[in-house]
């Protein structure tokens, strides 16, 4: 079974509180989403492999470490996942970026696909699937399946807020996918919004409501 990591670092938790606040406007919401994702990326990449190389400092020759091993990729689920891209790229500028376009039909709650473009060497990459909200898990499950259908094997899901229902849904269909969250919330409401959550992440990021 995959693991669920709740990132309880004080900086992440403080910024998450500001993100949840309904009085936070779009500009601050975007900035906070980026900052939280950057802090999460720092934690998520703890297990990357290092190797020693030889360099020369202004003083002498020295052995020092660089990241090695699998190449990295990030895949935001559109739209709201776009808000998380820059936070990861700030720390890992060489990561390739794929995109999966999905929205949740408001009536059926089923994910509807409208776009998918992944790096051609997706099977060789360690992939971080980005979406701020893991609610029923329908969108993330569908996105993970798209990636697997195109050859991706090493996938981690990064959500800012998750509901227990979403985590369970991922565990059920994709038990190989580890999940990283900043907040594990209580439940979903009758419209499948996360409670207490932060409302509609895409609308708050882009000011569409
Ligand atoms: O776990 P689920 O029940 O599938 O819900 C979560 C999905 O809903 C939101 O997207 P939305 O459909 O609002 O699209 P948007 O990002 O374009 O706003 C959110 O960003 C997730 O992708
Ligand atoms: O609470 C929720 C659930 C789905 N999508 C969102 O943006 N927020
Ligand atoms: Mg939305």
């Amino acid at each position: 079974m995959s693991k669920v990591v709740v990132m309880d670092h004080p900086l992440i938790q403080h910024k998450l509180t500001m993100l949840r606040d309904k009085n936070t406007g779009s500009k601050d919401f975007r900035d906070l989403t980026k900052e939280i994702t950057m802090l999460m990326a720092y934690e998520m990449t703890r297990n990357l492999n290092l190797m020693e190389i030889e360099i020369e400092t202004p003083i002498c020759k020295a052995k020092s470490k660089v990241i090695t091993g699998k190449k990295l990729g990030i895949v935001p689920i559109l739209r709201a996942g776009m808000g998380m891209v820059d936070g990861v790229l700030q720390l890992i500028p060489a990561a390739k970026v794929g995109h999966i376009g999905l929205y949740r039909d408001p009536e059926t709650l089923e994910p509807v696909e409208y776009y998918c473009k992944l790096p051609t060497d997706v099977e060789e990459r360690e992939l971080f699937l980005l979406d701020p909200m893991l609610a029923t898990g329908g969108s993330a499950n569908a996105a993970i399946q798209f990636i697997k259908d195109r050859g991706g094997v090493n996938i981690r899901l990064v959500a800012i807020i998750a509901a227990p229902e979403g985590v369970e849904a991922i565990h059920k269909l994709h038990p190989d996918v580890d999940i990283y969250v900043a907040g594990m919330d209580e439940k979903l409401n009758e419209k499948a919004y996360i409670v207490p959550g932060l409302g509609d992440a895409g609308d708050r990021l882009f000011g569409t409501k």
Side-chain angles (χ1 to χ4, degrees), residues 128-160:
F128 296 101
L129 179 64
L130 308 179
D131 193 328
M133 309 305 279
L134 176 62
T136 65
S139 304
N141 263 337
I144 293 166
Q145 195 57 54
F146 290 153
I147 296 173
K148 288 184 174 175
D149 290 346
R150 288 159 178 84
V153 281
N154 194 333
I155 305 166
R156 285 186 265 177
L157 172 61
V158 188
I160 294 180

Side-chain angles (χ1 to χ4, degrees), residues 80 104 133 135 188 192-195 197-202:
R104 191 174 76 164
M133 309 305 279
L188 298 176
Y193 274 86
I194 300 176
V195 180
L198 50 70
D200 189 301

Side-chain angles (χ1 to χ4, degrees), residues 37-105:
T37 310
M38 201 188 312
L39 293 165
M40 292 179 81
Y42 176 81
E43 283 293 321
M44 273 144 41
T45 47
R46 236 176 223 295
N47 68 338
L48 295 183
N49 293 321
L50 293 170
M51 71 172 192
E52 264 191 352
I53 60 165
E54 196 165 271
I55 53 158
E56 205 167 338
T57 76
I59 309 296
C60 64
K61 284 194 173 157
K63 290 209 164 121
S64 200
K65 290 171 186 160
V66 291
I67 292 170
T68 180
K70 285 204 175 212
K71 297 179 280 187
L72 303 181
I74 58 181
V75 184
I77 301 179
L78 306 179
R79 283 176 306 168
M82 286 302 294
M84 300 174 74
V85 171
D86 285 350
V88 183
L89 285 181
Q90 192 101 10
L91 292 187
I92 316 169
K96 293 274 189 288
V97 185
H99 294 86
I100 293 179
L102 280 178
Y103 68 89
R104 191 174 76 164
D105 184 291

